[in-house]
Amino acid sequence: MKQICKPLLVIVYTLLFVSQAFAGGGIPTTVKGNIRGFDVEQIQLNRRESIHGFQVIDSLGTDGQFQLDMNLATAGFYVLTSEEDRLFMLEIYLRPGDQLVLEMNKEQVAFTGKGSVLNQFLHDISGKSYTEQVAAIEGMANPELVRHKALLKGNAQGAYLNKVFGPLVEAKIHGADPGIQEAAFTGLNIRLVPEIMVYPNWLQTITELMYAKMKAGELKVRRAETWVADFGSAIENQQLKEAFMTAALSYSVSNGDLVSIQAEIREALPFIKDKSNLAKINALKPKIVRWKAFFRNALPGTDMSQYTFQNVKGETVSIKDYRGKLIYVDIWNTGCKPCIAEMPYLKELEHELKGRDIVFLSVSCDNSTELWKKFMQKRNMNGEQLIMIGKKDTFFDRIGMGGVPRFVILDKAGKIIDYNSCKRPSNPILKIYLEELLTKSAS
């Protein structure tokens, strides 16, 4: 089954075993050494930026020695950790041909060998604040470190934004305690550097930074369809500006968020100068066509007014009962953590738009009515709470099924406006979008 509105990326490390680092060649590269003071039997090396990819494993000898050999084609960040229970996690940067030697115990981490200067510096600044890290990077004198200044600064910046916004991103995926999650952040004017892209979730944390700027009144989004261009305009560095805008558009397409994608691309294109980025955006066209074919039975203008659900009293409720109001449909179930994470944001949005010609329908696709009722009672949920029985419901089938949470917007006659809005309630652009629709429907 296709996944609609896929969860945001977070940094995760898997236990996927691959016997060779790269089957396609590369330069022999080694990480070896001695680990003492940890009750572990195996050590493993993973790419930092990928939940998949390769893994190299070695068993520790009785003296704590290990050796990880691989053929490395490109440089990058890796995570060295114990396989069993992650008693430690050590980030390192490897270049093809490095011969890194590690001596580690609970009090000290020491690197020697080729690649050691950079990795010792990375470890030594890892526990410092972002300001302290930047000061240390700016004050470097070692030529080996100076050559990697941009990389070090970008990595520090990525780690900083991840520390601030990573828990917020993760809370939206895994569901936190009921309540709106906020990030305490005062560095809104941080000057982003393109090397931040070495950090795995750079797109998500920069997006959250832009949301924070919006809430603080330091960034204005002109219209819902200009959000990519407006966020990009707030990034000073041209390389990062283009990379962000290209990645944001690609992410929207990959999630099937298509109703306004052509307008978003049109608004962003004047800022894109690099031919490779223009090629990437142009390559989105066939993906858009394929996704629209998937939603062919629920394109804008499709009449959904005849569909019905049940309320908590077991009464039949029809979409046409809400005729005359814009209808925002939130499809969820009690086992969906991202759905639960969005609930407080949805409640706040409903409060902010109270009195306007819009109704918010929370439609569960649980198979058990009793489970649904108990969940709502426990969380004191109110508003328009309805249920369809399972994902085989005719309404869900018509809109293309898929995963949850799923958000659908209908006009005042019950016809589809947006069959798959991935601008979730936690996204401040959704309010702009709904207000535009309300203004349009009133004219």
Side-chain angles (χ1 to χ4, degrees):
M1 179 181 293
K2 290 184 180 286
Q3 181 70 24
I4 308 300
C5 288
K6 294 175 286 189
L8 298 174
L9 172 69
V10 289
I11 305 172
V12 228
Y13 302 103
T14 68
L15 295 177
L16 177 66
F17 176 77
V18 180
S19 59
Q20 295 181 349
F22 282 102
I27 299 174
T29 306
T30 299
V31 180
K32 64 181 180 180
N34 192 295
I35 296 178
R36 293 190 176 94
F38 295 93
D39 186 21
V40 296
E41 297 180 357
Q42 287 188 319
I43 190 169
Q44 66 183 36
L45 187 74
N46 293 85
R47 282 183 176 275
R48 184 179 70 172
E49 74 274 13
S50 178
I51 61 174
H52 301 297
F54 83 82
Q55 176 188 87
V56 185
I57 296 177
D58 190 29
S59 297
L60 269 65
T62 55
D63 55 357
Q65 291 187 347
F66 71 95
Q67 181 162 330
L68 303 170
D69 296 309
M70 67 209 84
N71 291 323
L72 206 60
T74 57
F77 282 91
Y78 294 80
V79 176
L80 193 67
T81 183
S82 59
E83 184 186 20
E84 298 92 343
D85 45 20
R86 310 281 164 73
L87 290 177
F88 62 85
M89 296 182 72
L90 187 65
E91 286 193 0
I92 60 176
Y93 186 79
L94 290 178
R95 297 162 299 184
D98 276 354
Q99 300 294 312
L100 196 60
V101 181
L102 168 67
E103 294 290 329
M104 185 171 77
N105 55 46
K106 289 188 176 181
E107 286 77 37
Q108 185 179 14
V109 172
F111 291 100
T112 55
K114 187 178 180 181
S116 61
V117 173
L118 181 59
N119 280 290
Q120 192 67 57
F121 183 81
L122 275 168
H123 175 72
D124 291 345
I125 68 171
S126 61
K128 298 180 182 297
S129 70
Y130 174 67
T131 302
E132 291 171 328
Q133 289 188 33
V134 171
I137 293 168
E138 294 293 345
M140 297 181 307
N142 186 301
E144 170 73 6
L145 296 177
V146 172
R147 284 197 297 271
H148 293 88
K149 183 177 179 179
L151 173 77
L152 290 166
K153 197 168 183 179
N155 186 63
Q157 207 167 78
Y160 176 46
L161 289 189
N162 182 64
K163 183 178 181 180
V164 174
F165 294 112
L168 175 59
V169 171
E170 195 164 350
K172 291 180 182 180
I173 296 171
H174 299 298
D177 292 332
I180 293 176
Q181 303 299 306
E182 297 286 356
F185 188 55
T186 57
L188 295 176
N189 294 319
I190 182 173
R191 182 168 292 181
L192 300 171
V193 296
E195 289 77 16
I196 194 175
M197 290 184 284
V198 303
Y199 214 82
N201 59 347
W202 67 272
L203 177 64
Q204 286 73 37
T205 55
I206 289 179
T207 301
E208 290 293 339
L209 171 62
M210 296 304 167
Y211 292 164
K213 283 177 175 285
M214 287 179 64
K215 292 174 183 177
E218 295 190 14
L219 172 60
K220 180 175 177 58
V221 173
R222 293 165 292 155
R223 302 185 306 279
E225 64 187 28
T226 68
W227 76 271
V228 175
D230 294 334
F231 281 17
S233 296
I235 300 173
E236 293 182 31
N237 182 274
Q238 182 65 25
Q239 181 184 349
L240 182 60
K241 181 197 302 285
E242 292 195 26
F244 173 83
M245 295 169 78
T246 302
L249 291 170
S250 298
Y251 190 74
S252 291
V253 173
S254 69
N255 285 331
D257 194 6
L258 306 179
V259 168
S260 60
I261 191 64
Q262 296 293 356
E264 290 169 6
I265 290 174
R266 185 172 60 251
E267 293 289 338
L269 279 177
F271 298 93
I272 308 295
K273 309 301 181 184
D274 188 276
K275 290 182 179 179
S276 64
N277 289 325
L278 290 171
K280 290 176 183 176
I281 293 174
N282 191 54
L284 296 176
K285 292 179 181 178
K287 296 179 182 179
I288 294 171
V289 172
R290 286 196 296 271
W291 264 117
K292 285 190 173 180
F294 178 75
F295 294 117
R296 61 187 177 277
N297 293 323
L299 294 177
T302 303
D303 188 2
M304 306 295 286
S305 62
Q306 73 274 21
Y307 289 95
T308 60
F309 311 108
Q310 288 183 12
N311 63 19
V312 291
K313 297 179 181 179
E315 300 168 335
T316 299
V317 177
S318 172
I319 288 176
K320 65 184 178 182
D321 294 337
Y322 303 99
R323 187 179 297 274
K325 289 184 178 293
L326 196 70
I327 304 172
Y328 184 81
V329 185
D330 166 25
I331 304 173
W332 65 284
N333 66 44
T334 56
C336 169
K337 291 182 178 180
C339 300
I340 297 168
E342 291 294 330
M343 288 178 177
Y345 298 96
L346 181 61
K347 186 175 182 179
E348 181 185 54
L349 182 62
E350 187 171 0
H351 175 73
E352 290 176 347
L353 295 178
K354 186 177 181 180
R356 306 289 296 276
D357 287 336
I358 183 171
V359 62
F360 294 86
L361 305 185
S362 291
V363 182
S364 167
C365 60
D366 277 288
N367 290 311
S368 168
T369 303
E370 290 306 312
L371 179 67
W372 168 60
K373 289 181 179 179
K374 288 180 181 178
F375 182 92
M376 290 192 298
Q377 185 176 14
K378 181 180 179 180
R379 292 183 175 262
N380 194 30
M381 294 170 63
N382 47 34
E384 296 293 319
Q385 299 294 334
L386 307 172
I387 189 170
M388 61 173 79
I389 303 302
K391 292 185 178 181
K392 293 184 179 180
D393 183 273
T394 53
F395 180 86
F396 212 2
D397 181 63
R398 182 64 180 268
I399 62 172
M401 293 190 181
V404 289
R406 178 77 181 275
F407 304 99
V408 177
I409 304 175
L410 309 177
D411 68 15
K412 293 182 177 181
K415 296 180 180 180
I416 285 182
I417 294 176
D418 196 328
Y419 43 79
N420 183 38
S421 174
C422 294
K423 297 173 181 65
R424 297 181 177 184
S426 58
N427 182 342
I429 297 168
L430 176 61
K431 184 181 178 183
I432 297 173
Y433 185 25
L434 293 178
E435 286 180 332
E436 288 174 351
L437 293 175
L438 285 167
T439 300
K440 185 178 179 180
S441 65
S443 59

